[in-house]
Every structure is written in C-alpha cells, then in structure tokens.
Amino acid sequence: MSRTFADLSSAIDNPSSLAPLTSASDLLILLERWVERGWLRSLDKAFIGFLYELAPQSDPLVLLAAALTSHQLGHGHVCLDLFETLKAPDFALSLPPEGDEQSDVLLLPSQLLETLDGAHWCKVLASSALVALAADNSEAAHQRPLVLSGKRLYLRRYWAYERRIDAALRTRLAQGETPPDDLPQRLDELFGPARPGAVIDWQKLACALATRGAFSIITGGPGTGKTTTVVRLLALLQAPAVEAGQPLRIRLAAPTGKAAARLTESISQQVQSLQVTEDVREKIPCDVTTVHRLLGSRPGTRHFRHHAGNRLPLDVLVVDEASMIDLEMMANLLDALPAHARLVLLGDKDQLASVEAGAVLGDLCRDAEAGWYNPQTRQWLESVSGESLQDSGLHEDRDGSHPLAQQLVMLRHSRRFGEGSGIGQLARRVNQQLPEEARQLLAAGHYDDVFSLPLKGEHDHTFERLLLDGHGEGPKGYRHYLNILRQQRPPAERPLEHPDWSNWAREVLQAFDTFQLLCAVRKGPWGVEGLNLRITETLVKARLIEHDQQWYEGRPVLMTRNDYGLGLMNGDIGIALKLPEREGPDAGKPVLRVAFPRNDGQGGVRFVLPSRLNDVETVYAMTVHKSQGSEFAHTALILPDALNPVLTKELIYTGITRAKHWFTLIEPRAGVFEEAVQRKVKRLSGLMLELEEGGEVRE
C-alpha cells in the first residue's frame, strides 16, 4: 500500500517509523534525511535516484548497498566491504561524522543494519539486475552499474580501474629487462664500491633493481635520498643507450604543480654533479611536468589525449610523490604507457594518500618494510652491488607469493633526520603509532629542533608571538620575511629591468619559506580559513602589513588550480610586491605585482599582475594536504580542538616531515594529538587482494 503525504511527513519527523530495508520509498526518505544532516552527499542520493529509475522494482537492500558504496568513495574507499560494514557499521562508514551531537532522533547505520545478515545481503545483491558478478564477462553484465566481488561491492567504473591496474602490473612484472653487462662497474662509479661493515646502500640496490624490470617502486621517508637515487638511475639507464647511439626518451612527472616544480629544481642541481660524460648529462631531463599535463588533459572531461589507443612517446617514465596518485589516474597512466616503456614510482608510502579514492602506493608497498625478496633476487642484488643483505633483517620469499616485492626497494637511511634529530625521532614514533613515546619526546625538550606549544584558549597570545617571531634565534615566524621585504627593497628610482628587483623578490620568497603554519582542517577557528584572517589581523596590528583591501604588499598567495597560460601550478606560492611601473604615464610609480619562483634551479622569478590571478587564496596557513611536495625550514602544525575524520597518524606524520630544520606542534586541546596518532587511514580496495590472489586476470 502506498503512503499518503501525511504518512511521509510523519516519517520525515520520526525516522524510527520507517522501514527502509523493505520499502524503497522509506529508504529514499531516510537517505534524504542523511543528506540534510550532512551524513551523505547529494551525489550519493542522486545516484540512488538514478538506480531507482533504472530498476523501480529493485530490492531496497541493493539501493542501500549502492548508497553506502558511493558514500565510501567520498571517503577515499574504492569499494564497500559488506561484512566489515556489518561488524561495526557506524565505524566502518564514519557515520555519524565526528562532532555531530545527534541532538534529534535519526536512524544510525548500526540501528539500520543490526538485523541484517551478510550472506543474505550478498545473495540479494547477486540476484539483482543492477549487479554483475566479478566472474561474469557477458555483455549483459558489462552494462550493470554495480559489481560484486566476493564480499566487496564496487561501482563499475572503479572495478574497471582496479582490473586495468592489476592487469597492467602483472604484465610489467612478468616483463624482464636486460641490465647492462657491466652493471657492477657502473654502480660502483655512481655510488662507490661496497665497504665491509658499512650501512647497506639501499640507493644502490634500488638502482640495480630498477634496471632489470619494466616496473619498479622506490619508497622511503624524507631525507632518504629518493631524488638522488632517481637521478643516478637515469644516468645508469641512459649511459649505455647513449653509448649505443640510441638515447632513451625519458619523462619526469608528479601529481601536482608544486611537486613538479620542487623535483625540477632538485634534479637540475643534482644532474650537474653527476660523474658522467657530457653527452649523457645532456640526455638526462630536468623538466618535470604534472601527470595531467603529461597525459594531455581535456578540459571538462575525464578523458586524456594519451590513452591505450594513443600511447605516450617515451621509453622511461618516473613519477614522483606517487602517494598522491589516485586509482583513476593510475589506471589512465598505465593505459597510456607503451608496452616497452619502464615505469618507476617514487614516494613515501607513509604519507597521506590522494584526496580522491584509492591509496595505490600504500597498497603496492604493503610489504616494503619486510622486504620479501626471493633467494634469486637477493643473490642477484648482492652479486651486482657488492652489498651484503645477510644482516638486513628482511624476510625471504620462498614460495613465490610476493612477486611485487622483487621490484620494490625501501630506502631506510635518512640523511636529513639522523639519530640526533628530534624531528626524525618524532616522525618515527608517530609513524609507528606510539603516542605516549611521542608525547614524552615533546614534553622532555631534549631536542633543539622540536617544540611543543599547548594553548590556554582561543585567544592565547603565545600563539601570536610564535606566528610573528618563532622561537628566538633559529626558528623564524612571519615577521622575518616582512623585514626582508622592507630592509632589502631596491631604491624606488631603479628601473624594473634592473636585476636588483628580481634578487630582492627571490630573497623575500626564500625568507617566506623559512616558516609555514599547517592546519588539519579548513573550517573553524583552527582551520585555514579562520587562521588566515586572524594572522592577517595580527600582522596589521604589528604594523607589518597595510591591509585595507584584498591585495596588499606582502600578501602571500597559493595557486589553487593549474594555470598553464601563466606557467603557474596548483600549489605554487607567490608574494605581492610593489615594483616600479615599466611604461606609460605612470612609469616609475609603484604598482603591485605577484612574484613567483620559477623553480628552474636557477633562482629565477616571474612577476604577474594580481588581476591575472583568479585561482588564489591567502596562505599564511595551509592544509597539510596542500603542503605535500613542499618543505619549510620551520613548520608549525596546529591541531583542531576536537577530533575530526581527517586526523590520523598519516596526517601528523606528513605535517612533521614538511619541516627541514625545526618543527612546532600547537595544541588548542590536550589529548587530540594522542588520539590522532592512534588512528590510521584504512582505505578499502581490492587492488592489494587481487595482486596477492594471483591466477587469471579478469577484465
């Protein structure tokens, strides 16, 4: 019997009267309430509306599973694990969101699903016209929007991404490459001969391993030498090719413009110091592009110019900061690679994953710590490198169950954060989820590179003092770059073409990089938006800036989108400066321009009129996510005063490791740090499982 309008109104006011597991209309009412409350996205609800129109007779259990699968995608999960969800629905689905006080009656996932049996749910899904079984390769199955693989439910598109990645990686892992005959000699020339009793040279092992495969991964924390390793690897690959008169086409890419710029600068410097001939040096590229630009993004679509039908013209592709690559992008990248090309992924497996669904690098590096080399790999590595793995403590793969591990090396020795580094020690304790030990380190004050600042309320003036002046002589605050701006300004009568203006702008930019405040969230008093306003007001009060409009001298801005016309990338930071007008009736008068570093390894600066910058925001404070791929001399991480879904050990670790020399933890409320360190990002996907399972690859 259909519901009257009065019935529906009553149900909206009293969700407990609904029967969403047996009535599709009741389910839609409940989902609408969840959207209104911010528990679900409008997109999730719209998707279910589409499925309901497609198959009006669908079992509500199918529609519910589809809604939850879409919801999980919004949280970075590729699929919905039905049985895990039923074990602890509220936890598995992150519902209600933390901070929701549930002041009114609303049906919780745990209440909704408490009587549901996992086997029955799977059976209902398997019999639905909207759901295809993973093993079903029929044409009819390919038209169904949902895919059931064991106990995991996918949207078809994401199922296809996993299958494409799985198939591509299997093919590449089976595709051996022939290393140079004189590989041991070449390795010794680049790294020096192995010394008995010395620390294992993991960089040398990584380069060796990458020469013998079409796919390899190099992972490691900050300061372990990932960039150094890849530059030497490129020399190792290019030198024999140049000698043979067939130089390799090498391309370098990164997920964001900021990461690409940093790698460009770093590689430009390192290539110059390589012990190779000039012919080889000239054939090692320094320019790094974004993955989107490499593939040839088409505005307004999900498609790229390069794909399986139009492969990339290259022989070697190196992708840095690979932890930031999501499932969809990795699938597109692998599709576009020529069959003969080598792919090398670089990244820190412990950093934050991509904002979009999937944690590809984390999935692929699940065994990195343990090693799991088989006897053949271990013997070969020792023979070509001269290094001994006898006391490495690595596990050994004796049954061939870890094929991926044979092409994966974890760099383990940090040259930036040694044993005497508080930053390194704190990062390790956070990464190992040891909150008490991390707290002890912060409280003891034994290290001169780590600081702790507990706040006594929202208006604690110690916070403002830190922002302005840092910690005494070493760690700076924002006053430093504004003093450089004032004190080193060239004389006003000097023409714009004079190099003094570029030199001054470069000094100001470098001074700004000495300090950066990082936030976990965007909203609220301890989020990016609120803190940028507060810091601006603090600087005005201190008479360090003149703030009476949107643009003012000294304003630091962050690009929030790639602008290929201007040559500026998402994540680039510039500072507004007054420079003399070049020509016209106002020639010589000061006018605002925004200085951006060219990131070309030469210290170049470009000037852009503010009117040309549409996608920028003030950046005294930025999110930890935005800071990936960047480093600052003094980094301060401020936590919110309440737990939030984004607060995990990965976020804390990433924030800490953005600091080159000093790190400050700012805590508005005690206990949040410890709780965050105990929480780990767990992104559900089947990629890891498929690689483990072996067997026939399913399309």
Side-chain angles (χ1 to χ4, degrees), residues 100-161:
D100 191 316
E101 298 177 358
Q102 302 171 54
S103 56
D104 57 344
V105 178
L106 197 62
L107 200 60
L108 295 169
S110 53
Q111 297 168 319
L112 176 65
L113 301 172
E114 61 184 350
T115 61
L116 190 56
D117 175 70
H120 174 67
W121 203 4
C122 284
K123 187 177 178 181
V124 170
L125 286 165
S127 62
S128 170
L130 295 171
V131 181
L133 298 179
D136 188 350
N137 283 316
S138 67
E139 186 61 35
H142 279 225
Q143 303 306 312
R144 296 177 179 178
L146 301 168
V147 178
L148 183 65
S149 175
K151 60 178 186 175
R152 305 190 306 277
L153 184 68
Y154 292 81
L155 303 193
R156 172 162 289 283
R157 185 152 53 89
Y158 287 86
W159 164 255
Y161 293 150

Side-chain angles (χ1 to χ4, degrees), residues 237-358:
L237 295 172
Q238 191 66 284
V242 169
E243 290 164 12
Q246 296 179 319
L248 299 170
R249 296 167 300 172
I250 300 173
R251 296 296 304 274
L252 310 171
T256 67
K258 184 69 173 177
R262 282 194 57 78
L263 190 61
T264 296
E265 188 169 10
S266 182
I267 284 184
S268 300
Q269 293 167 353
Q270 295 208 27
V271 166
Q272 298 308 313
S273 61
L274 271 176
Q275 300 298 311
V276 294
T277 65
E278 210 52 46
D279 287 348
V280 174
R281 195 188 320 276
E282 287 175 2
K283 296 297 182 181
I284 298 175
C286 298
D287 290 332
V288 185
T289 187
T290 63
V291 176
H292 278 87
R293 199 167 195 181
L294 176 77
L295 291 175
S297 58
R298 293 177 172 174
T301 78
R302 308 183 81 97
H303 304 294
F304 295 93
R305 191 169 68 253
H306 292 288
H307 44 74
N310 180 30
R311 308 281 179 130
L312 289 161
L314 53 79
D315 304 305
V316 179
L317 175 62
V318 176
V319 181
D320 194 25
E321 298 288 354
S323 62
M324 299 165 69
I325 296 182
D326 61 89
L327 195 77
E328 180 178 3
M329 182 55 72
M330 184 61 77
N332 288 326
L333 188 63
L334 288 167
D335 284 350
L337 274 184
H340 74 276
R342 297 176 192 261
L343 173 63
V344 181
L345 299 182
L346 293 176
D348 185 347
K349 66 180 179 62
D350 298 313
Q351 275 195 39
L352 284 167
S354 62
V355 176
E356 303 299 327

Side-chain angles (χ1 to χ4, degrees), residues 37-99:
R37 192 63 175 264
W39 290 19
L40 290 185
R41 302 171 298 173
S42 297
L43 176 66
D44 305 327
K45 171 69 167 45
F47 176 56
I48 304 314
F50 163 74
L51 294 181
Y52 191 46
E53 288 181 12
L54 202 63
Q57 304 307 313
S58 293
D59 193 304
L61 290 178
V62 175
L63 298 177
L64 174 62
L68 297 181
T69 304
S70 179
H71 164 74
Q72 290 294 71
L73 274 173
H75 285 260
H77 303 293
V78 176
C79 55
L80 176 74
D81 189 310
L82 298 166
F83 283 78
E84 285 298 315
T85 300
L86 290 177
K87 283 181 188 175
D90 297 345
F91 176 79
L93 300 168
S94 301
L95 292 176
E98 287 177 73

Side-chain angles (χ1 to χ4, degrees), residues 458 463-464 467 478 517 519 522-541 545 547 549-550 552 555-556 617-622:
E458 193 173 328
F463 177 49
E464 293 179 354
L467 294 172
Y478 286 130
L517 179 67
C519 307
R522 288 197 63 85
K523 306 288 185 182
W526 308 111
V528 166
E529 294 174 5
L531 284 171
N532 274 318
L533 290 172
R534 181 174 172 180
I535 296 167
T536 302
E537 290 170 3
T538 300
L539 294 173
V540 170
K541 285 180 190 173
I545 60 172
H547 176 57
Q549 52 194 353
Q550 182 187 9
Y552 54 89
R555 182 192 178 196
E617 62 185 28
T618 302
V619 70
Y620 295 114
M622 72 165 70

Side-chain angles (χ1 to χ4, degrees), residues 409-634:
V409 174
M410 179 175 170
L411 307 180
R412 299 161 191 266
H413 179 61
S414 177
R415 288 158 175 80
R416 189 194 310 168
F417 302 137
E419 291 302 312
S421 164
I423 296 174
Q425 293 289 343
L426 183 62
R428 278 190 280 276
R429 294 176 192 193
V430 167
N431 202 27
Q432 294 167 10
Q433 293 186 283
L434 302 170
E436 289 80 14
E437 287 84 343
R439 173 59 66 194
Q440 288 170 8
L441 186 150
L442 288 165
H446 292 159
Y447 296 96
D448 58 9
D449 60 345
V450 170
F451 302 86
S452 174
L453 181 63
L455 300 182
K456 296 172 183 173
E458 193 173 328
H459 303 290
D460 190 331
H461 291 299
T462 58
F463 177 49
E464 293 179 354
R465 286 198 293 273
L466 169 76
L467 294 172
L468 288 174
D469 299 312
H471 300 286
E473 293 299 315
K476 306 293 188 194
Y478 286 130
R479 189 190 300 273
H480 174 62
Y481 91 93
L482 291 166
N483 282 343
I484 297 290
L485 186 156
R486 283 199 175 121
Q487 294 165 5
Q488 299 190 18
R489 185 196 306 273
E493 65 273 9
R494 199 152 289 171
L496 184 61
E497 296 76 19
H498 199 284
D500 280 0
W501 291 108
S502 292
N503 294 338
W504 170 61
R506 183 172 59 252
E507 291 295 322
V508 175
L509 287 164
Q510 289 174 353
F512 183 78
D513 272 351
T514 59
F515 177 62
Q516 182 64 57
L517 179 67
L518 302 182
C519 307
V521 295
R522 288 197 63 85
K523 306 288 185 182
W526 308 111
V528 166
E529 294 174 5
L531 284 171
N532 274 318
L533 290 172
R534 181 174 172 180
I535 296 167
T536 302
E537 290 170 3
T538 300
L539 294 173
V540 170
K541 285 180 190 173
R543 299 186 177 181
L544 292 169
I545 60 172
E546 296 176 0
H547 176 57
D548 56 358
Q549 52 194 353
Q550 182 187 9
W551 285 100
Y552 54 89
E553 187 172 45
R555 182 192 178 196
V557 292
L558 175 79
M559 293 291 298
T560 58
R561 190 175 297 179
N562 293 341
D563 189 325
Y564 294 114
L566 294 176
L568 297 172
M569 300 292 134
N570 184 2
D572 281 352
I573 292 176
I575 296 176
L577 300 172
K578 286 183 180 177
L579 294 103
E581 181 63 272
R582 189 190 300 270
E583 54 195 21
D586 295 328
K589 290 183 179 178
V591 63
L592 275 180
R593 287 189 175 86
V594 186
F596 288 91
R598 289 192 179 274
N599 297 309
D600 54 1
Q602 309 299 313
V605 176
R606 74 185 74 195
F607 297 105
V608 182
L609 287 169
S611 57
R612 299 189 67 190
L613 297 171
N614 299 314
D615 301 301
V616 292
E617 62 185 28
T618 302
V619 70
Y620 295 114
M622 72 165 70
T623 62
V624 175
H625 270 99
K626 280 287 187 184
S627 74
Q628 287 186 271
S630 301
E631 293 173 347
F632 309 95
H634 176 202

